[in-house]
Amino acid sequence: MTHWKDILQESITTYSALQKHLDCNNTALKEVIANFPMRINPYFLNLIKTPDDPLWKQAVPDSAELEDSICIEDPLGEENLSPVPNLVHRYPDRALFLVTNQCAMYCRFCTRKRKVGTERMHISDDTIRAGFDYLRKTPEIKDVLISGGDPLLLEDEVLENLLLTLRSIPTIEIIRIGTRVPCTLPMRITKRLVDILKKFHPLFINTHFNHPDEITPEAAIACALLADGGIPLGCQTVLLKGVNDNPSIILDLMRALLRIRVKPYYLFQADLTRGTNHFRTPTDRGITIIRHLIGKISGMAIPTFALDAPGGKGKIPLSPDFILARGENLVFNSYCGEVCTYPEAGEAF
Ligand SMILES: *Cc1c(COP(=O)(O)O)cnc(C)c1O
Ligand code: SF4
């Protein structure tokens, strides 16, 4: 089997390679790529079937990226919430720790588009050390999310050392890794990697699939290896215009995720990230999609539709409303639309 690094080496990163491999002729894309890096590795390239299909849209630059006058660079106020560079402390008991600026593919809709894959995201031994120091002196942080970039692009040894240091901080209970590698470069998930990861339980992985066509035999093998290592797998899907913004695609995706032992966790409303406005859908689209799923498929397969509030105010669930009236009786709709009544128990909370 080809080593994952050799596959990554063969990625399309320039306009001329894009022209050659995808017959893509639009010189405006040169400027897009100069602003926001491109990386389409041969594995993901192979999944693209036709121009502008849902996988193409996620991977291939679009001139709309430079025509976005609505969105902002850092919509979640991450830089303001970083006590040290690349560590975001937004919630009382958990923190987001960015440990690399590299990804197996640069998703065109990325929330951290302002810096991912570029020198604008400066990560060094010094920034990592500063992150660990902050975690050590902030014992209220019980849950650390390692992200980036994609942490699983780090070498096995580098990742292992990072996890060893995290586990040497006794106040940290939960380690989570956010990675898109099971979807974009599944051959990165090796037995050797899993043998390292499983030494650091409780360790969770949240991965990121957006379309049923991404659930390939290779992705299934990667997730099986991780699940067999006792690592609970969640998925953080982003709702994207022209990619997955309809109920039947999301329904198929959520079912397919459960089949490969990945539990749908969040379905995100697209963030207000500059260069991604062409991907945004009205919030009502997501709520309607969730409404469509409820009752039709297992609750196990239904993610929370969430909006990450602008300015770093945190994730908020946007849920379909089933309640018609409150009072002595709760009146509500069943999943298929019948009106139901439930007598209240008396004293309110
Ligand atoms: C999303 C996020 C978390 C984790 O949120 P959960 O709801 O616990 O998954 C933590 N910190 C930051 C900065 C985040 O963006
Ligand atoms: S893998 Fe994640 S961090 Fe990397 S470009 Fe895609 S969305 Fe952004």
Side-chain angles (χ1 to χ4, degrees), residues 76 78 88-91 94-96 112 143 145 176 206 236 265-266 268 308 315:
L76 308 182
E78 292 189 329
V88 187
H89 190 188
R90 178 200 288 168
Y91 296 110
R94 50 212 194 277
L96 177 67
R112 274 177 219 118
D143 178 347
L145 276 83
R176 288 194 253 179
N206 281 326
Q236 309 196 150
Y265 178 39
Y266 281 130
F268 284 121
D308 222 327
K315 296 177 185 59

Side-chain angles (χ1 to χ4, degrees), residues 35-197:
N35 278 270
F36 303 117
M38 165 176 67
R39 181 180 274 169
I40 310 172
N41 70 56
Y43 168 77
F44 204 86
L45 177 69
N46 205 27
L47 301 182
I48 295 176
K49 296 292 173 247
T50 52
D52 252 3
D53 75 12
L55 279 62
W56 170 297
K57 284 201 168 90
Q58 295 182 65
V60 180
D62 190 311
S63 46
E65 292 174 41
L66 294 181
E67 292 153 13
D68 177 358
S69 56
I70 291 174
C71 297
I72 53 180
E73 284 219 324
D74 179 14
L76 308 182
E78 292 189 329
E79 306 300 340
N80 275 336
L81 290 167
S82 299
V84 297
N86 301 312
L87 188 143
V88 187
H89 190 188
R90 178 200 288 168
Y91 296 110
D93 72 330
R94 50 212 194 277
L96 177 67
F97 191 12
L98 311 180
V99 297
T100 171
N101 66 3
Q102 296 291 301
C103 297
M105 166 169 112
Y106 294 118
C107 312
R108 306 321 300 172
F109 54 84
C110 179
T111 289
R112 274 177 219 118
K113 201 175 172 77
R114 67 182 182 283
K115 60 180 185 176
V116 144
T118 76
E119 283 168 9
R120 298 187 292 268
M121 188 167 188
H122 174 69
I123 290 169
S124 65
D125 289 350
D126 283 342
T127 69
I128 303 247
R129 204 172 304 121
F132 283 129
D133 286 344
Y134 182 79
L135 294 172
R136 243 179 242 113
K137 64 169 209 229
T138 317
E140 56 272 27
I141 296 174
K142 309 276 181 228
D143 178 347
V144 176
L145 276 83
I146 311 173
S147 183
D150 196 315
L152 296 192
L153 281 210
L154 297 174
E155 308 269 353
D156 289 353
E157 293 69 27
V158 175
L159 193 62
E160 179 165 24
N161 279 328
L162 222 135
L163 292 167
L164 276 167
T165 311
L166 271 184
R167 272 286 169 246
S168 74
I169 305 173
T171 45
I172 295 173
E173 296 168 3
I174 305 291
I175 297 176
R176 288 194 253 179
I177 296 178
T179 172
R180 213 185 166 191
V181 147
C183 172
T184 52
L185 189 65
M187 42 297 289
R188 167 64 183 108
I189 308 298
T190 58
K191 177 83 173 45
R192 187 164 187 271
L193 174 69
V194 175
D195 284 340
I196 293 172
L197 296 176

